[in-house]
Amino acid sequence: MTKTLRCRPLLLAALLLAALSARADGVGDVTVFHWWVSGGERASMDAIRDFARSRGIGWQEHSTPGSGTARYTDVLAARVRAGQVPTAAQMIGHEIHAWARQGLLENLNGIAAQEEWDEVVPMDIQHLSKWQGQWVAAPFNAHSTNWLWVNKAVADRLGATTPPDGWADLIALLDKARTAGVQPLAIGREAWEHTLLFESVAVGVGGAEFYRKAFIDLEPQALQAPVLTQIFERMRQLSGYLDPGYLRRRWDQATDMVAEGRALLQVQGSWVDGEFVAKGMAPGREYQCWRFPDTQGVYLFNSDQFVFFKQPPARQAAQRAFASAVMAPALQVAVNVRTGAAPARVDVPQATFNRCGQRNITDMRRANMRRAMMGSIAMGNAHPSAVKTAIYDVVTRHLQGRLDTAGAVAALRLAVATPTGNDDKP
C-alpha cells in the first residue's frame, strides 16, 4: 500500500505530461452552446466545428432548440447558474446586450482591433455586437428575412416565372395557387414566424424610413394610425391564405411543404436556403428566392453571433483563438454556403455561393451603403426583448382573429411606447 501511494504522484505527473504532449499542437478546448439542430443548421455547425479543429482548437458542444427564443435563453441561464459556463454561446440581437449588462462577457476589443473588425462588419450588425462601445460578440453571418421561398415547379405551373412586383401581384399569385388546389402560403405556429411575415408587410407598406423610426429607434410618433391600419389589413388578407394545420406546425415543417410542392411559398429568412441545400435542392431548379414585394432594396437581417463568457486565464488562449476563427473569411464562407446567409463581413468572396446566396450578399452590401440594412423585429435584432415579446403577442392574436385591426393598432403603439423597451440599449 505504501509503495502504491508513493507511486501515485509519479503516475499523475506522467499522465499530465502525456496529456500536454498530446495537445502540444493545439491551443486548448472550447465548449460551445447553440440552437442549431435542424438538418441545414446541423451541417452549418459541423462546418464551424471542423474549422475550429483545423486551427488546433479542441471542441465540445451542447445544444437545445429555440432559435434564440426565451426557451433557449432559459436553458443557457440555468447552465450558467449551475456553474456550467460555456466558452461561447450562440446569440442574436439585443439578447447580446442583456448578457453584457450582467458583466458576464469578455471584452474582445484587442482581437477586434488586431483583425480590423470595425472595417469589415456592417454598422447595424456592429451595433448589436458591441456593448457600451466594446466588442463582446463575434458575428458570423447575416440572414435576411424579407424573402419569398417558392416551389419552382408549382410556380411554373401557375405561370409565375417572375417575382411579384407589388402587393397586387402577390395576392394574384396566391389566388392562382388556391384556385389550383395548392396551399398558397405555408407558415408555422410560433409567434416569431408570424412576426417575420408582419415585418415584411410593414416595411412594404411604410418604407425603410418608417421601419427604422418605428421599430429600431422606437419613436412612438412614427406609428401613425393610417399606416398601421394598412399593415394589419394586409396581414388579415394574408391570414385568409393559411390552412388550419399551421396551428400545429413547426417552421421547418412549413419549409418541407414548399420543398415537396404541397405549398407554393413561405415567407421566411434565408436559413430556408440552407434547409433546401441540405435536401439536395438548387435555386433555379427546384426553388426560387424572390424578395417580398415592395421591399426590394431593403435588407431586414438577423445576425447569428457568438458571445464569449469570462474564463479563467488558462482557457483564454483557446477562447481568443475561437473568436478569431469565427471571424475568419474562410470560416464565414464554409458556414454560410450551408446556412444560406451572407457572411457578416463585406469583404468575403461570393463565388462559391449559390444563386440565392450571391443575391443575399449583394443585397446586404448595397443596403449597408444606403442605410437600408435594418434589424429584424421577429429575430430580436431591431429592439429589446420586452418590445419584441409585446409585438409577438399583438401580431399573433391579430393573425389568429383574436384581435381586430383597430385593437391591434392600439396595442402595437402601446408596445413600442413601453418605458422598459429601451432597457438593454447601450
Side-chain angles (χ1 to χ4, degrees), residues 145 147-151 184-188 192-193 197 249-259 263-269 271-272 276 288 290 292:
T145 64
W147 287 108
L148 302 177
W149 297 98
V150 183
N151 181 286
L185 176 61
I187 199 169
W192 67 266
E193 301 174 64
L197 185 60
R249 187 183 300 136
R250 298 190 311 269
W251 75 269
D252 55 321
Q253 292 173 321
T255 300
D256 290 341
M257 291 177 65
V258 176
L264 170 63
L265 62 84
Q266 180 182 25
V267 180
Q268 259 287 2
W271 45 86
V272 169
F276 286 164
Q288 303 281 21
W290 293 340
F292 193 94

Side-chain angles (χ1 to χ4, degrees), residues 154-162 164 168-185 241 264-265:
V154 174
D156 288 349
R157 191 164 73 245
L158 299 175
T161 57
T162 57
D169 293 339
L170 175 61
I171 296 302
L173 177 58
L174 296 176
D175 283 338
K176 284 183 179 180
R178 183 160 58 187
T179 300
V182 177
Q183 175 60 37
L185 176 61
Y241 295 99
L264 170 63
L265 62 84

